[in-house]
Amino acid sequence: MSDREPQSALAAAIDQNKRNERVTRAWLLAPALAIILAISILPLGITVVYSFLTPGTYGGVTWEFSTDSYVQFLFQRDIFDDTLVFNSAYVSIFLRSIGLALGATLGALILGFPTAYFIATKPREQRNIWLFLITLPFWTNLLIRTYAMLLIIRDEGIINIMLMKAGIISSPLTILYTDTAVFIGLIYSFLPFMVLPIYASLEKLDFSLVEAGYDLYANRLKVLFHVIVPLAKPGIVAGCILVFIPGLGAYITPELLGGGKKLMIGNMIAMQFGASRNWPFGSAAALILMALVIVVLLVNALAARRGASNNG
Amino acid sequence: MKTVLRLLATASAVAFASSAAMAAGELNVYNWGNYTSPEMIKKFEEKFDVKVNLDGYDSNEAMLAKVKAGDTGYDIVVPGDYMIKVMIGEGLLEEVKPNEMENFKNVDPNWVDVWWDPGRNYSIPYQWGTTSFTVDTAVYDGDVDTLALLFDPPEVLKGRINMLNDMNDVINAGLRYLGYGRCNGNQDELREVLALLSKAKPHWRTMDYAVIEKLTSKDVDISQSWNGAAMRARAQRPTLKYAYPKEGFTGWMDNVAVLKGAPNLDNAKLFINFMMDPENAGLTSNFARYANGILGSDKFMEPEMLSAPEIVMPASAPAPDFVTPCPQEVVDLYNKIWTQLKQ
């Protein structure tokens, strides 16, 4: 009886302590949450609101509710009479962007995985130097790097001049201002996003498992696909997402290297705020793009959960 | 390494401090890229002890979008003719009354009662010129004065064409080639324009504003171009020839104006008056390579400017066509054509 009281006092003290801790934590989190609210939720809210308004004559919006922006994405009142017909223009712009982004992701994976593996298998003290080299291009602005790429692949650029001097080709290869140029540019820009997460999972890989694979008479390919890749999968998935998403919305690369003849999503959205003077449609297109990204992330999350429950 | 960094930091701190100490005031100029004479800016800075900050845009629409978004901090903008009219209508420009300023007497009377700013209550001439195209005669030596080179190109020019990434310039050229009127709401005619542009597009290599760079890097051999840009490109690629197509071409004038709510209004007014001085207009022309609409400025212009084929039109050329802003229905149709073309 007598020792119960101090015990409940102790429990109360612990409770109080916990409550204090919770309050402190809330206060410490508040500034970060406020910033997130101000710089991410608020602009998004404005975009949502604008996408349901009517375009102003010379840009801007007039405060009149309309769902035209979303209708316009799939249908158009025929250019010349007023019937609603299916319009493939914006859909094909989206599909092209998705195709280019997927291609760039695949390219970055093919280049990035061996690079990450190479770094992860180096002696520990050398790895930082290699990682440093991977991140080195990030010291320069993306625009400058893309311009440099333009100088390298243009008709009278370094690649063509070297190939012609070597007598391999007689007239310059047309690389610049094609989809190939955009591929090269996207892969170059986003490669580190692929290498770093894959490296992070390979670094933790227990190489005795690889040796075990060999001991069990697996050949190199089998070891790669049945031991290394499954263990590196989280890194590969993260890398693919990190390349695919910015690739989808890329603006500078298609603008500079693509020659401006075909629109990608990013350029199409930018155009709505410039020459087309249709801010609501630009907002709607940006939201549709975001919805696409969210779908990709959801699919990934679902797949990850299923994988986890299967293993469990 | 550390000492180097510290040295660098000190040096930049000193540089900042000294530049801040020099400037009594500031002026923020928002002009087209690669279009402002550094010499002229330096002269203005020294004369009035004002620090000029320069920023650039590549289309009237990009400038309008940024200004409309508000709080740009810019004082001076240099919109094209139709954009002046739009911006006056939208209440974006300050009525600074250049026509009451000391140097207004130098403005060529032909450029005073213009449709975009009658009597010049808001703006003054900056540069004026034409938009046509320029061809490398070493690559193609036939008659250049026809828009067929852009829309129905000879074999040697296929895949070697740059068009301006500008809805109005491309569609207007198409309308002229087919012999139809500008700001055209006629749907049958526009259908034909879309067909013409779609058929020509595979022959175009790029659609880009960076005309000079595209031509001098030999990425293309023919490019839609402003006359001054064509002249600057010719300086590095002497076989280029600026065309005066018989189907017609666009004339335009860019104008210096002050934004409503300009933070440095007094300096902006000084700048407007300064730009009407023949010597300063001449400096601008020497850099940008266009005519300027200020009387007496030719005395300060380089002699080659006064005889350049890009500036002095041949007698046989049609008169330049100054295109007025189109009504919204027409802009909507143009937008649809443009999106179809670039899908």
Side-chain angles (χ1 to χ4, degrees), chain B residues 167-245:
Chain B
M167 185 170 82
N168 290 314
D169 282 328
V170 171
I171 293 180
N172 283 336
L175 285 167
R176 287 191 189 104
Y177 185 57
L178 295 173
Y180 299 141
R182 251 63 64 212
C183 276
N184 196 325
N186 181 319
Q187 309 196 332
D188 290 325
E189 294 181 2
L190 284 182
R191 216 186 291 261
E192 273 184 63
V193 170
L194 177 57
L196 175 78
L197 299 180
S198 308
K199 191 168 93 12
K201 190 186 159 199
H203 304 311
W204 301 342
R205 184 163 197 203
T206 51
M207 297 174 80
D208 199 321
Y209 285 108
V211 171
I212 302 176
E213 189 234 334
K214 288 277 169 302
L215 285 166
T216 53
S217 67
K218 302 212 171 152
D219 280 342
V220 297
D221 297 322
I222 168 172
S223 174
Q224 251 195 327
S225 174
W226 308 282
N227 59 332
M231 185 174 174
R232 287 166 72 180
R234 181 167 59 89
Q236 292 175 61
R237 197 172 167 181
T239 45
L240 287 174
K241 184 172 179 193
Y242 188 68
Y244 290 98

Coordinates of all heavy atoms in Angstrom, one line a residue, chain B residues 167-245:
Chain B
M167 N 5.2 32.8 -82.7 CA 3.9 32.5 -83.3 C 3.5 33.5 -84.4 O 3.2 33.2 -85.5 CB 2.8 32.5 -82.2 CG 1.5 32.1 -82.6 SD 0.5 31.9 -81.1 CE 0.0 33.6 -80.8
N168 N 3.6 34.8 -84.0 CA 3.2 35.8 -85.0 C 4.1 35.9 -86.2 O 3.6 36.0 -87.3 CB 3.1 37.2 -84.3 CG 2.0 37.3 -83.3 OD1 0.9 36.9 -83.6 ND2 2.3 37.8 -82.1
D169 N 5.4 35.9 -86.0 CA 6.3 36.0 -87.1 C 6.1 34.8 -88.1 O 6.2 35.0 -89.3 CB 7.8 36.1 -86.7 CG 8.1 37.5 -86.2 OD1 7.5 38.4 -86.7 OD2 8.9 37.6 -85.2
V170 N 6.0 33.6 -87.6 CA 5.8 32.4 -88.5 C 4.5 32.5 -89.2 O 4.4 32.3 -90.4 CB 6.0 31.1 -87.6 CG1 5.7 29.9 -88.5 CG2 7.4 31.1 -87.1
I171 N 3.4 32.7 -88.4 CA 2.1 32.7 -89.1 C 2.0 33.8 -90.1 O 1.4 33.7 -91.2 CB 1.0 32.7 -88.0 CG1 1.0 31.4 -87.2 CG2 -0.4 32.9 -88.7 CD1 0.0 31.2 -86.2
N172 N 2.5 35.0 -89.7 CA 2.4 36.1 -90.6 C 3.1 35.9 -91.9 O 2.7 36.2 -93.0 CB 2.9 37.4 -90.0 CG 2.0 38.0 -89.0 OD1 0.8 37.8 -89.1 ND2 2.5 38.8 -88.1
A173 N 4.3 35.2 -91.8 CA 5.1 34.9 -93.0 C 4.2 33.9 -93.9 O 4.2 34.1 -95.1 CB 6.4 34.3 -92.7
G174 N 3.6 33.0 -93.3 CA 2.8 32.0 -94.0 C 1.6 32.7 -94.7 O 1.3 32.4 -95.8
L175 N 1.0 33.6 -94.0 CA -0.2 34.4 -94.6 C 0.3 35.2 -95.8 O -0.4 35.2 -96.8 CB -0.8 35.3 -93.5 CG -1.6 34.7 -92.4 CD1 -1.9 35.7 -91.3 CD2 -3.0 34.2 -93.0
R176 N 1.5 35.8 -95.7 CA 2.0 36.6 -96.8 C 2.3 35.7 -98.0 O 2.0 36.0 -99.1 CB 3.2 37.3 -96.4 CG 3.0 38.5 -95.5 CD 4.2 39.3 -95.3 NE 3.9 40.3 -94.3 CZ 4.4 40.2 -93.0 NH1 5.3 39.3 -92.7 NH2 4.1 41.1 -92.1
Y177 N 2.9 34.5 -97.7 CA 3.2 33.6 -98.8 C 2.0 33.2 -99.6 O 2.0 33.0 -100.8 CB 4.0 32.4 -98.2 CG 4.5 31.4 -99.3 CD1 5.4 31.9 -100.3 CD2 4.1 30.1 -99.3 CE1 5.9 31.0 -101.3 CE2 4.6 29.2 -100.3 CZ 5.5 29.7 -101.2 OH 6.0 28.8 -102.2
L178 N 0.9 33.0 -98.8 CA -0.3 32.6 -99.5 C -1.1 33.7 -100.0 O -2.2 33.6 -100.6 CB -1.2 31.7 -98.5 CG -0.6 30.4 -98.1 CD1 -1.4 29.7 -97.0 CD2 -0.5 29.5 -99.3
G179 N -0.7 35.0 -99.7 CA -1.3 36.2 -100.2 C -2.6 36.5 -99.4 O -3.5 37.2 -99.9
Y180 N -2.6 36.1 -98.1 CA -3.8 36.5 -97.3 C -3.4 37.6 -96.3 O -2.3 37.8 -96.0 CB -4.3 35.2 -96.5 CG -4.7 34.1 -97.4 CD1 -4.4 32.8 -97.1 CD2 -5.4 34.4 -98.6 CE1 -4.8 31.7 -97.9 CE2 -5.8 33.3 -99.4 CZ -5.5 32.0 -99.0 OH -5.9 31.0 -99.9
G181 N -4.5 38.2 -95.8 CA -4.3 39.4 -94.9 C -3.8 39.0 -93.5 O -4.0 37.8 -93.1
R182 N -3.2 39.9 -92.8 CA -2.7 39.7 -91.4 C -3.9 39.8 -90.5 O -5.0 40.3 -90.8 CB -1.7 40.8 -91.0 CG -0.3 40.2 -90.9 CD 0.2 39.7 -92.2 NE 0.3 40.8 -93.2 CZ 0.2 40.5 -94.5 NH1 -0.2 39.4 -95.0 NH2 0.3 41.5 -95.4
C183 N -3.7 39.3 -89.2 CA -4.8 39.3 -88.2 C -6.0 38.7 -88.8 O -7.1 39.2 -88.7 CB -5.1 40.6 -87.6 SG -3.9 41.1 -86.4
N184 N -5.9 37.5 -89.3 CA -6.9 36.9 -90.2 C -7.7 36.0 -89.4 O -7.2 35.1 -88.8 CB -6.1 36.2 -91.3 CG -7.0 35.9 -92.4 OD1 -8.2 35.6 -92.3 ND2 -6.4 35.9 -93.6
G185 N -9.1 36.2 -89.4 CA -10.0 35.3 -88.7 C -10.6 34.4 -89.7 O -11.5 33.6 -89.3
N186 N -10.3 34.5 -91.0 CA -10.9 33.6 -92.0 C -10.5 32.2 -91.8 O -9.3 31.8 -92.0 CB -10.6 34.2 -93.4 CG -11.3 33.4 -94.5 OD1 -11.3 32.1 -94.4 ND2 -11.8 34.1 -95.5
Q187 N -11.4 31.3 -91.5 CA -11.0 29.9 -91.1 C -10.5 29.1 -92.3 O -9.6 28.3 -92.1 CB -12.2 29.3 -90.5 CG -12.8 30.2 -89.4 CD -13.7 29.4 -88.4 OE1 -14.3 28.5 -88.8 NE2 -13.7 29.9 -87.2
D188 N -11.1 29.3 -93.5 CA -10.6 28.5 -94.6 C -9.1 28.9 -94.9 O -8.3 28.0 -95.2 CB -11.5 28.7 -95.8 CG -12.8 28.1 -95.7 OD1 -12.9 27.0 -95.0 OD2 -13.8 28.7 -96.1
E189 N -8.9 30.2 -94.8 CA -7.5 30.6 -95.1 C -6.5 30.1 -94.1 O -5.4 29.7 -94.4 CB -7.5 32.2 -95.3 CG -8.3 32.6 -96.5 CD -8.3 34.2 -96.6 OE1 -7.6 34.9 -95.9 OE2 -8.9 34.6 -97.6
L190 N -7.0 30.1 -92.8 CA -6.1 29.7 -91.7 C -5.8 28.2 -91.8 O -4.8 27.7 -91.5 CB -6.7 30.0 -90.4 CG -6.5 31.5 -90.0 CD1 -7.0 31.7 -88.6 CD2 -5.0 31.9 -90.0
R191 N -6.9 27.4 -92.3 CA -6.7 26.0 -92.5 C -5.5 25.8 -93.5 O -4.7 24.9 -93.3 CB -8.0 25.4 -93.0 CG -8.3 24.0 -92.5 CD -9.5 23.4 -93.2 NE -10.7 24.1 -92.8 CZ -11.6 23.6 -91.9 NH1 -11.3 22.5 -91.3 NH2 -12.7 24.2 -91.6
E192 N -5.6 26.6 -94.6 CA -4.5 26.5 -95.6 C -3.1 26.8 -95.0 O -2.1 26.2 -95.3 CB -4.8 27.4 -96.7 CG -5.7 26.9 -97.8 CD -5.8 27.9 -99.0 OE1 -4.8 28.2 -99.6 OE2 -6.9 28.4 -99.2
V193 N -3.1 27.9 -94.1 CA -1.8 28.2 -93.5 C -1.3 27.1 -92.7 O -0.1 26.7 -92.8 CB -2.0 29.5 -92.6 CG1 -0.8 29.7 -91.8 CG2 -2.3 30.7 -93.5
L194 N -2.2 26.5 -91.9 CA -1.7 25.3 -91.0 C -1.2 24.2 -91.9 O -0.1 23.6 -91.6 CB -2.9 24.8 -90.2 CG -2.6 23.6 -89.3 CD1 -1.4 23.8 -88.4 CD2 -3.8 23.2 -88.5
A195 N -1.9 23.9 -93.0 CA -1.4 22.9 -93.9 C 0.0 23.3 -94.5 O 0.9 22.4 -94.6 CB -2.4 22.7 -95.1
L196 N 0.1 24.5 -94.9 CA 1.4 25.0 -95.4 C 2.5 24.8 -94.4 O 3.6 24.3 -94.7 CB 1.3 26.5 -95.8 CG 2.6 27.1 -96.3 CD1 2.9 26.7 -97.7 CD2 2.5 28.7 -96.2
L197 N 2.3 25.3 -93.2 CA 3.3 25.2 -92.1 C 3.7 23.8 -91.8 O 4.8 23.4 -91.6 CB 2.9 26.0 -90.9 CG 2.5 27.5 -91.0 CD1 2.1 28.0 -89.7 CD2 3.7 28.2 -91.5
S198 N 2.6 22.9 -91.7 CA 2.9 21.5 -91.4 C 3.7 20.8 -92.4 O 4.6 20.0 -92.2 CB 1.6 20.8 -91.2 OG 0.8 21.5 -90.3
K199 N 3.5 21.2 -93.7 CA 4.2 20.6 -94.8 C 5.7 21.1 -94.8 O 6.6 20.3 -95.1 CB 3.5 21.0 -96.1 CG 4.0 20.2 -97.3 CD 3.1 20.4 -98.5 CE 3.4 21.4 -99.5 NZ 4.4 22.3 -99.8
A200 N 5.9 22.4 -94.4 CA 7.2 22.9 -94.4 C 8.1 22.5 -93.2 O 9.3 22.4 -93.3 CB 7.1 24.5 -94.5
K201 N 7.4 22.2 -92.1 CA 8.1 22.0 -90.8 C 9.2 20.9 -90.9 O 10.3 21.1 -90.3 CB 7.1 21.7 -89.7 CG 7.8 21.7 -88.4 CD 6.8 21.3 -87.3 CE 7.6 20.8 -86.1 NZ 6.8 20.0 -85.2
P202 N 9.0 19.8 -91.6 CA 10.1 18.8 -91.6 C 11.4 19.4 -92.2 O 12.4 18.8 -92.0 CB 9.5 17.7 -92.5 CG 8.0 17.9 -92.5 CD 7.8 19.3 -92.3
H203 N 11.3 20.4 -93.0 CA 12.5 21.0 -93.6 C 13.2 22.0 -92.7 O 14.3 22.4 -93.0 CB 12.1 21.7 -94.9 CG 11.4 20.9 -95.9 ND1 11.9 19.6 -96.3 CD2 10.3 21.1 -96.6 CE1 11.0 19.1 -97.2 NE2 10.0 19.9 -97.4
W204 N 12.5 22.4 -91.6 CA 13.1 23.3 -90.7 C 13.9 22.5 -89.7 O 13.5 21.5 -89.1 CB 12.0 24.1 -89.9 CG 11.1 24.9 -90.8 CD1 11.3 25.2 -92.1 CD2 9.8 25.4 -90.5 NE1 10.3 25.9 -92.6 CE2 9.3 26.1 -91.6 CE3 9.0 25.4 -89.3 CZ2 8.1 26.7 -91.7 CZ3 7.8 26.0 -89.4 CH2 7.3 26.6 -90.5
R205 N 15.1 23.0 -89.4 CA 16.0 22.3 -88.4 C 15.6 22.8 -87.0 O 15.5 22.0 -86.1 CB 17.4 22.6 -88.7 CG 18.3 21.8 -87.8 CD 19.7 21.7 -88.2 NE 20.4 20.7 -87.5 CZ 21.7 20.6 -87.3 NH1 22.5 21.5 -87.8 NH2 22.2 19.6 -86.6
T206 N 15.4 24.1 -86.8 CA 15.2 24.6 -85.5 C 14.1 25.7 -85.5 O 13.9 26.3 -86.6 CB 16.4 25.2 -84.8 OG1 17.0 26.1 -85.8 CG2 17.4 24.1 -84.5
M207 N 13.5 26.0 -84.4 CA 12.7 27.1 -84.2 C 13.2 27.9 -83.0 O 13.0 27.4 -81.9 CB 11.2 26.7 -84.1 CG 10.7 26.0 -85.3 SD 9.1 25.4 -85.2 CE 8.1 26.9 -85.4
D208 N 14.0 28.9 -83.2 CA 14.7 29.5 -82.1 C 14.9 31.0 -82.3 O 15.0 31.4 -83.5 CB 16.1 28.8 -82.0 CG 16.8 29.0 -80.7 OD1 16.7 30.1 -80.1 OD2 17.4 28.0 -80.2
Y209 N 15.0 31.7 -81.2 CA 15.2 33.2 -81.3 C 16.7 33.5 -81.5 O 17.0 34.6 -81.9 CB 14.8 33.9 -80.0 CG 13.3 34.1 -79.9 CD1 12.6 33.3 -79.0 CD2 12.6 35.0 -80.7 CE1 11.2 33.5 -78.8 CE2 11.3 35.1 -80.5 CZ 10.5 34.4 -79.6 OH 9.2 34.6 -79.5
A210 N 17.6 32.6 -81.2 CA 19.0 32.9 -81.2 C 19.6 32.8 -82.6 O 20.4 32.0 -82.9 CB 19.8 31.9 -80.3
V211 N 19.1 33.8 -83.4 CA 19.4 33.8 -84.8 C 20.9 33.9 -85.1 O 21.5 33.1 -85.9 CB 18.7 35.0 -85.5 CG1 19.2 35.2 -86.9 CG2 17.2 34.8 -85.4
I212 N 21.6 34.9 -84.5 CA 23.0 35.1 -84.8 C 23.8 33.9 -84.5 O 24.6 33.4 -85.3 CB 23.5 36.3 -84.0 CG1 22.6 37.6 -84.3 CG2 25.0 36.6 -84.3 CD1 23.0 38.8 -83.5
E213 N 23.6 33.3 -83.3 CA 24.3 32.1 -82.9 C 24.1 30.9 -83.9 O 25.0 30.2 -84.2 CB 24.0 31.8 -81.5 CG 24.8 30.7 -80.9 CD 24.0 29.6 -80.3 OE1 22.8 29.8 -80.0 OE2 24.5 28.4 -80.3
K214 N 22.8 30.7 -84.2 CA 22.5 29.6 -85.1 C 23.2 29.8 -86.5 O 23.7 28.8 -87.1 CB 21.0 29.6 -85.4 CG 20.2 29.1 -84.2 CD 20.1 27.6 -84.2 CE 19.5 27.1 -82.8 NZ 20.2 27.6 -81.6
L215 N 23.3 31.0 -87.0 CA 23.9 31.2 -88.3 C 25.4 31.2 -88.2 O 26.1 30.5 -89.1 CB 23.5 32.6 -88.9 CG 22.0 32.7 -89.4 CD1 21.6 34.1 -89.6 CD2 21.9 31.9 -90.7
T216 N 26.0 31.8 -87.2 CA 27.5 31.9 -87.2 C 28.1 30.5 -86.8 O 29.2 30.2 -87.2 CB 28.0 33.0 -86.2 OG1 27.3 32.7 -85.0 CG2 27.6 34.3 -86.7
S217 N 27.3 29.7 -86.1 CA 27.8 28.4 -85.7 C 27.6 27.4 -86.9 O 28.0 26.2 -86.8 CB 27.1 27.8 -84.5 OG 25.8 27.6 -84.8
K218 N 27.0 27.9 -88.0 CA 26.7 27.1 -89.2 C 25.8 25.9 -88.8 O 25.8 24.9 -89.5 CB 28.0 26.6 -89.8 CG 28.9 27.7 -90.2 CD 29.7 27.4 -91.5 CE 30.4 28.7 -91.9 NZ 31.6 28.4 -92.7
D219 N 25.0 26.1 -87.8 CA 23.9 25.1 -87.6 C 22.9 25.1 -88.7 O 22.2 24.1 -89.0 CB 23.2 25.3 -86.2 CG 24.1 24.8 -85.1 OD1 25.0 24.0 -85.3 OD2 23.9 25.2 -83.9
V220 N 22.6 26.3 -89.2 CA 21.7 26.5 -90.3 C 22.3 27.4 -91.4 O 23.3 28.1 -91.1 CB 20.4 27.1 -89.8 CG1 19.7 26.2 -88.8 CG2 20.5 28.5 -89.2
D221 N 21.7 27.4 -92.6 CA 22.2 28.2 -93.7 C 21.2 29.3 -94.0 O 21.5 30.2 -94.8 CB 22.5 27.4 -94.9 CG 23.6 26.4 -94.7 OD1 24.5 26.7 -94.0 OD2 23.4 25.2 -95.2
I222 N 20.0 29.3 -93.5 CA 19.0 30.3 -93.7 C 18.2 30.4 -92.5 O 17.9 29.4 -91.8 CB 18.1 29.9 -94.9 CG1 16.9 30.8 -95.0 CG2 17.6 28.5 -94.9 CD1 16.1 30.7 -96.3
S223 N 17.9 31.7 -92.1 CA 17.1 31.9 -90.9 C 16.2 33.1 -91.0 O 16.6 34.1 -91.5 CB 18.1 32.1 -89.7 OG 17.3 32.4 -88.5
Q224 N 15.0 32.9 -90.5 CA 14.2 34.1 -90.3 C 14.9 35.0 -89.4 O 15.6 34.5 -88.4 CB 12.9 33.7 -89.6 CG 11.6 33.7 -90.5 CD 10.3 33.7 -89.7 OE1 10.3 33.0 -88.7 NE2 9.3 34.3 -90.2
S225 N 14.9 36.3 -89.6 CA 15.8 37.1 -88.8 C 15.3 38.6 -88.8 O 14.6 39.0 -89.8 CB 17.2 37.1 -89.5 OG 18.0 38.0 -88.8
W226 N 15.7 39.3 -87.8 CA 15.6 40.8 -87.8 C 16.7 41.3 -88.6 O 17.8 40.7 -88.6 CB 15.6 41.3 -86.4 CG 14.6 40.6 -85.5 CD1 13.2 40.8 -85.5 CD2 14.8 39.5 -84.6 NE1 12.6 39.9 -84.6 CE2 13.6 39.2 -84.0 CE3 16.0 38.9 -84.1 CZ2 13.5 38.2 -83.0 CZ3 15.9 37.9 -83.2 CH2 14.6 37.5 -82.6
N227 N 16.6 42.5 -89.2 CA 17.6 43.0 -90.1 C 18.9 43.2 -89.4 O 20.0 42.9 -89.9 CB 17.1 44.2 -90.9 CG 16.7 45.3 -90.0 OD1 16.3 45.1 -88.9 ND2 16.8 46.6 -90.5
G228 N 18.9 43.8 -88.2 CA 20.1 44.1 -87.4 C 20.8 42.8 -87.1 O 22.1 42.7 -87.1
A229 N 20.1 41.8 -86.6 CA 20.7 40.5 -86.3 C 21.4 39.9 -87.6 O 22.5 39.4 -87.5 CB 19.6 39.5 -85.8
A230 N 20.7 40.1 -88.7 CA 21.3 39.6 -90.0 C 22.6 40.3 -90.3 O 23.6 39.7 -90.7 CB 20.3 39.8 -91.1
M231 N 22.6 41.6 -90.0 CA 23.9 42.4 -90.2 C 25.0 41.9 -89.3 O 26.2 41.7 -89.7 CB 23.6 43.8 -90.0 CG 24.8 44.7 -90.4 SD 24.3 46.5 -90.3 CE 25.9 47.2 -90.6
R232 N 24.6 41.6 -88.0 CA 25.7 41.2 -87.1 C 26.1 39.8 -87.5 O 27.3 39.4 -87.3 CB 25.1 41.2 -85.7 CG 25.0 42.6 -85.2 CD 24.1 42.7 -83.9 NE 24.8 42.2 -82.7 CZ 24.2 42.2 -81.5 NH1 23.0 42.6 -81.4 NH2 24.9 41.7 -80.5
A233 N 25.2 38.9 -88.0 CA 25.6 37.6 -88.4 C 26.5 37.7 -89.6 O 27.5 36.9 -89.7 CB 24.4 36.7 -88.7
R234 N 26.2 38.6 -90.5 CA 27.0 38.8 -91.7 C 28.5 39.2 -91.4 O 29.4 38.8 -92.1 CB 26.4 39.8 -92.6 CG 27.1 40.1 -94.0 CD 26.3 40.9 -94.9 NE 25.9 42.2 -94.4 CZ 26.7 43.3 -94.6 NH1 27.8 43.2 -95.2 NH2 26.3 44.4 -94.1
A235 N 28.7 39.9 -90.3 CA 30.0 40.3 -89.9 C 30.9 39.1 -89.7 O 32.1 39.1 -89.9 CB 30.0 41.1 -88.6
Q236 N 30.3 37.9 -89.3 CA 31.1 36.7 -89.0 C 30.9 35.7 -90.2 O 31.6 34.7 -90.2 CB 30.6 36.1 -87.7 CG 31.0 36.9 -86.5 CD 30.5 36.3 -85.2 OE1 30.8 35.2 -84.9 NE2 29.6 37.0 -84.5
R237 N 29.9 35.9 -91.0 CA 29.7 35.0 -92.1 C 29.3 35.8 -93.4 O 28.1 36.0 -93.7 CB 28.5 34.0 -91.7 CG 28.5 32.8 -92.6 CD 27.4 31.8 -92.0 NE 27.1 30.8 -92.9 CZ 26.2 29.8 -92.7 NH1 25.6 29.7 -91.6 NH2 26.0 28.9 -93.6
P238 N 30.3 36.3 -94.1 CA 30.2 37.4 -95.0 C 29.3 37.1 -96.2 O 28.8 38.0 -96.9 CB 31.6 37.7 -95.5 CG 32.5 37.0 -94.6 CD 31.7 35.9 -93.9
T239 N 29.0 35.8 -96.5 CA 28.2 35.4 -97.6 C 26.7 35.5 -97.4 O 25.9 35.1 -98.2 CB 28.6 34.0 -98.1 OG1 28.7 33.1 -97.0 CG2 29.9 34.0 -98.9
L240 N 26.3 35.9 -96.2 CA 24.9 36.0 -95.8 C 24.3 37.2 -96.6 O 24.9 38.2 -96.7 CB 24.7 36.1 -94.3 CG 24.9 34.9 -93.5 CD1 24.8 35.3 -92.0 CD2 23.9 33.8 -93.8
K241 N 23.0 37.0 -97.0 CA 22.3 38.0 -97.7 C 20.9 38.2 -97.1 O 20.2 37.2 -97.0 CB 22.2 37.8 -99.2 CG 21.6 38.9 -100.0 CD 21.7 38.8 -101.5 CE 21.0 39.9 -102.1 NZ 20.8 39.7 -103.5
Y242 N 20.6 39.4 -96.7 CA 19.3 39.7 -96.1 C 18.2 39.8 -97.3 O 18.5 40.6 -98.2 CB 19.3 40.9 -95.3 CG 18.1 41.2 -94.5 CD1 17.7 40.3 -93.4 CD2 17.3 42.3 -94.7 CE1 16.6 40.6 -92.7 CE2 16.1 42.5 -94.0 CZ 15.8 41.7 -92.9 OH 14.7 41.9 -92.2
A243 N 17.1 39.1 -97.2 CA 16.1 39.1 -98.2 C 15.0 40.1 -98.0 O 14.7 40.4 -96.8 CB 15.5 37.7 -98.4
Y244 N 14.5 40.7 -99.1 CA 13.3 41.5 -99.0 C 12.3 40.9 -99.9 O 12.0 41.2 -101.0 CB 13.6 42.9 -99.6 CG 14.5 43.7 -98.6 CD1 15.9 43.8 -98.9 CD2 14.0 44.4 -97.5 CE1 16.8 44.5 -98.0 CE2 14.9 45.1 -96.7 CZ 16.2 45.1 -96.9 OH 17.0 45.8 -96.1
P245 N 11.6 39.8 -99.3 CA 10.7 39.0 -100.1 C 9.6 39.8 -100.8 O 9.0 40.7 -100.1 CB 10.1 38.0 -99.1 CG 10.4 38.5 -97.8 CD 11.6 39.4 -97.9

